[in-house]
Amino acid sequence: MVEALSKHTPLENFIEHKTNTGMQCGNYSIDLPELGDGEQFRFHFDATACVGCHCCEVACNEQNANPDEIKWRRVGELEMGAFPDTLQLFNSMSCNHCIEPECLIGCPTNSYIKFDNGIVWHDDPSCIGCQYCTWNCPYEVPTFNADRGIVTKCHMCADKLEAGQSPACVQACPSNAIEIETFSVQQWLEEDMKKEGVAPHLPDIEITKPTTRYTLPELQEGEALRIADEHLLKPAHPELPLVFMTVLTQTSLGAFLALFLGELLFSLGFNLPKPTFAMALLAFLPSAIGLPLSALHLGRPGMALMAMKNWRTSWLSREAIALGAFTGLAALVAICYFFNVTGLGLLLLEALTLATGIYGIYAQSMIYRIKARPSWNRKSTTKRFFGSGYIGFLLIATALLIANGTQGVMVLLSITLLAGMGQALAILEEVMFYRHLDKEDPLYYQYNRSRILLQEHFGTVKKFRIFSLSLFALGLPLLAILFTASGLIHLAIPTLIVSTLGALTSELAGRYLFYRTVVPLGLAGNFFAGNQRH
């Protein structure tokens, strides 16, 4: 009689084998030592054991009553070689419960809490669904749940751990590839993280200092794993409310700068017209319209004011406070013009308003200067955000030309032309950057995919952006200067109106590209990403 192949193997009595070897999979209970001083819980993932069955994903969803598209644990796929000599490697990842979690630092509502046991917990009731954490996390762990209007994430089944039970993913894994461990934070940071906290094609560990420990197969020298889904590329979310909000608030700042310069020069005795109520109103309106639009981006718009809560560490909170104050102060300035308030007090109020607006737009740009999204995390982002203010100069120049004819408008149009040139140079720098990418750059993969999106997916929009910027920021303002100098006001006014509207359209197109072409860091080979914001 032929003996069964499973005879004398772990398969003969799998449960007994797991018990004898201390495997955590398949067991409801988990035996973990008490945490000592400076110790925390963490995941251990054994890539040599994972078979890519996705049982961990299913178990996690069932445990937490998440719909199919919400995945707190995902499985990435890497591959190497050519048939028949191949290697397929899987990486099951949920939250890494980082030591310096960017989700916690950037959250405007303090909805993230790091417990003493190391678990990074998300407080659902206080979340407003801004999704800033989905941008900040280099592993794209936080997931937006549209039905609930909030972000959700893995919490290591904290309630089960507290009761001495295994997390759902650990319990469901048939190969014991996922385990819970205790570890010394100090030893991890000083010694082990650089050796055991890294895996192929994952973000730099220094960004958040993740705690997941990896067991990986040994590769021969010269062998490299490929990302299994590198042939797939889709644009990021368009974020249309933010497209309009950012451009309109930046326009308002530019218009207010023109208003302030006009008031300052008039106060110093220059032969220039005094700004009017209409100009002050035009400086106020774009921000007054744009700022509320940001609430449409939120999962819980009614809780928008909560975004100001975490001003100590969140650039989003700082932006909300500063631009809210700027809009309110701009309204007060407009009221002063309406009641013919003059003198040093008005000038000081305008200076305060301008300074607040400048900080607000700077904070706005810093929201996007995050390591998890390389194409955003560049100085050119700040330059372009401030550069969009030239639309505001065009707006005030148009109002000045209509109200006062040629008096003083040449000075403002000259400054407008310079501002447009500044924005054109910022866009030129971006074009040259993507044209000459460094293949040795550790972020080349993300940069190159952004370049592909710009050139192949959105080539038409990109061409429109460049040509429209040249026409509406440079060509037509220069033509308006020539018409004004020749006394052809009836031609200069419509030229400036067309230039203003065209410039606004150009900047909206540019901002649309900004959001659509960003390629984040994240879990490599993440075919089944679920509802991550792509």
Side-chain angles (χ1 to χ4, degrees):
M1 183 176 180
V2 180
E3 193 174 66
L5 292 177
S6 61
K7 192 71 173 176
H8 307 303
T9 72
L11 291 177
E12 185 177 22
N13 192 330
F14 187 46
I15 300 299
E16 184 179 329
H17 171 75
K18 288 191 295 183
T19 302
N20 293 337
T21 56
M23 295 171 70
Q24 294 179 4
C25 67
N27 292 318
Y28 286 100
S29 61
I30 188 169
D31 185 19
L32 293 173
E34 291 289 329
L35 291 175
D37 292 339
E39 290 188 335
Q40 296 182 4
F41 293 128
R42 72 174 174 203
F43 283 112
H44 166 234
F45 176 69
D46 186 351
T48 65
C50 180
V51 296
C53 65
H54 296 258
C55 282
C56 51
E57 288 185 3
V58 176
C60 179
N61 273 26
E62 289 184 352
Q63 173 67 34
N64 296 287
N66 285 329
D68 292 343
E69 68 273 13
I70 304 297
K71 296 186 185 299
W72 291 2
R73 179 169 283 277
R74 300 153 294 144
V75 178
E77 300 183 24
L78 304 172
E79 58 190 15
M80 184 183 73
F83 182 82
D85 185 16
T86 63
L87 170 67
Q88 190 175 28
L89 191 72
F90 300 99
N91 182 4
S92 176
M93 177 185 287
S94 61
C95 180
N96 290 296
H97 300 282
C98 304
I99 294 171
E100 297 179 2
E102 285 291 328
C103 57
L104 183 150
I105 296 169
C107 178
T109 57
N110 284 326
S111 294
Y112 284 91
I113 305 163
K114 187 167 178 64
F115 293 153
D116 292 339
N117 61 11
I119 294 175
V120 178
W121 176 272
H122 181 265
D123 179 56
D124 293 354
S126 62
C127 179
I128 61 175
C130 71
Q131 300 145 67
Y132 188 35
C133 55
T134 68
W135 294 351
N136 265 303
C137 176
Y139 304 97
E140 296 189 287
V141 166
T143 306
F144 181 63
N145 188 323
D147 293 336
R148 300 178 62 191
I150 62 171
V151 167
T152 59
K153 65 173 284 294
C154 158
H155 42 59
M156 203 185 277
C157 291
D159 53 339
K160 298 189 71 176
L161 277 181
E162 190 174 346
Q165 298 177 6
S166 301
C169 56
V170 173
Q171 188 182 116
C173 179
S175 58
N176 200 48
I178 308 170
E179 295 179 309
I180 302 295
E181 299 178 334
T182 61
F183 73 104
S184 165
V185 174
Q186 182 177 355
Q187 181 176 337
W188 178 251
L189 290 176
E190 294 178 357
E191 300 178 25
D192 299 338
M193 184 174 70
K194 293 179 176 61
K195 297 180 293 183
E196 298 181 286
V198 295
H201 298 288
L202 284 186
D204 185 354
I205 55 174
E206 294 300 329
I207 299 177
T208 60
K209 297 179 173 56
T211 63
T212 301
R213 183 174 73 87
Y214 285 96
T215 297
L216 300 170
E218 292 186 11
L219 301 180
Q220 300 298 319
E221 186 175 349
E223 292 182 331
L225 288 158
R226 299 185 302 273
I227 299 173
D229 64 350
E230 62 183 0
H231 61 289
L232 301 176
L233 178 60
K234 62 179 180 178
H237 196 279
E239 312 290 4
L240 291 179
L242 299 182
V243 169
F244 283 90
M245 185 275 285
T246 54
V247 171
L248 288 174
T249 52
Q250 291 154 20
T251 297
S252 211
L253 178 64
F256 202 89
L257 176 57
L259 184 79
F260 172 74
L261 291 175
E263 185 66 34
L264 177 63
L265 294 175
F266 177 81
S267 300
L268 293 175
F270 284 84
N271 185 26
L272 295 171
K274 178 178 173 56
T276 64
F277 167 69
M279 296 176 192
L281 189 62
L282 285 174
F284 159 74
L285 282 177
S287 186
I289 295 170
L291 204 56
L293 289 177
S294 62
L296 300 179
H297 167 75
L298 303 178
R300 291 173 168 176
M303 298 174 62
L305 292 179
M306 292 290 291
M308 301 182 184
K309 186 176 180 180
N310 186 19
W311 56 269
R312 289 180 178 84
T313 64
S314 174
W315 281 110
L316 183 54
S317 292
R318 295 166 186 169
E319 178 217 30
I321 294 170
L323 289 183
F326 166 73
T327 305
L329 289 170
L332 184 59
V333 168
I335 292 171
C336 289
Y337 276 100
F338 182 79
F339 288 105
N340 294 317
V341 176
T342 59
L344 182 60
L346 176 62
L347 193 62
L348 290 176
L349 177 60
E350 290 188 12
L352 174 63
T353 305
L354 180 63
T356 305
I358 290 173
Y359 180 77
I361 297 303
Y362 175 73
Q364 189 178 80
S365 74
M366 292 304 293
I367 290 173
Y368 302 92
R369 298 279 297 277
I370 50 179
K371 294 179 181 178
R373 304 213 161 196
S375 66
W376 287 355
N377 190 30
R378 304 179 61 242
K379 291 180 180 179
S380 63
T381 295
T382 302
K383 293 177 183 177
R384 283 180 284 163
F385 274 35
F386 278 107
S388 296
Y390 77 91
I391 307 172
F393 277 88
L394 285 171
L395 197 61
I396 299 302
T398 304
L400 182 61
L401 192 61
I402 293 172
N404 296 285
T406 60
Q407 185 186 8
V409 77
M410 292 294 288
V411 175
L412 187 53
L413 281 175
S414 299
I415 298 174
T416 301
L417 190 60
L418 287 174
M421 291 175 63
Q423 183 70 328
L425 288 174
I427 300 303
L428 177 62
E429 186 274 335
E430 179 192 32
V431 171
M432 298 306 293
F433 172 79
Y434 284 109
R435 186 173 294 177
H436 302 287
L437 289 176
D438 180 6
K439 292 187 177 181
E440 301 303 317
D441 191 319
L443 298 174
Y444 174 78
Y445 179 81
Q446 285 77 25
Y447 285 141
N448 188 52
R449 288 168 78 82
S450 287
R451 179 190 63 80
I452 293 171
L453 286 171
L454 278 167
Q455 293 183 354
E456 298 180 11
H457 291 244
F458 298 102
T460 302
V461 181
K462 180 186 175 185
K463 289 177 182 177
F464 169 79
R465 166 60 170 155
I466 293 174
F467 289 124
S468 62
L469 180 67
S470 302
L471 177 62
F472 299 121
L474 302 176
L476 290 187
L478 181 59
L479 186 60
I481 290 175
L482 295 176
F483 284 149
T484 303
S486 303
L488 302 174
I489 304 301
H490 64 288
L491 294 178
I493 290 175
T495 300
L496 277 181
I497 292 174
V498 172
S499 179
T500 303
L501 295 175
L504 177 62
T505 304
S506 178
E507 291 303 313
L508 290 173
R511 197 56 44 80
Y512 176 78
L513 289 174
F514 176 81
Y515 287 108
R516 293 289 269 166
T517 61
V518 65
V519 175
L521 304 177
L523 175 62
N526 188 14
F527 282 98
F528 308 103
N531 206 29
Q532 269 70 15
R533 295 280 288 185
H534 286 296

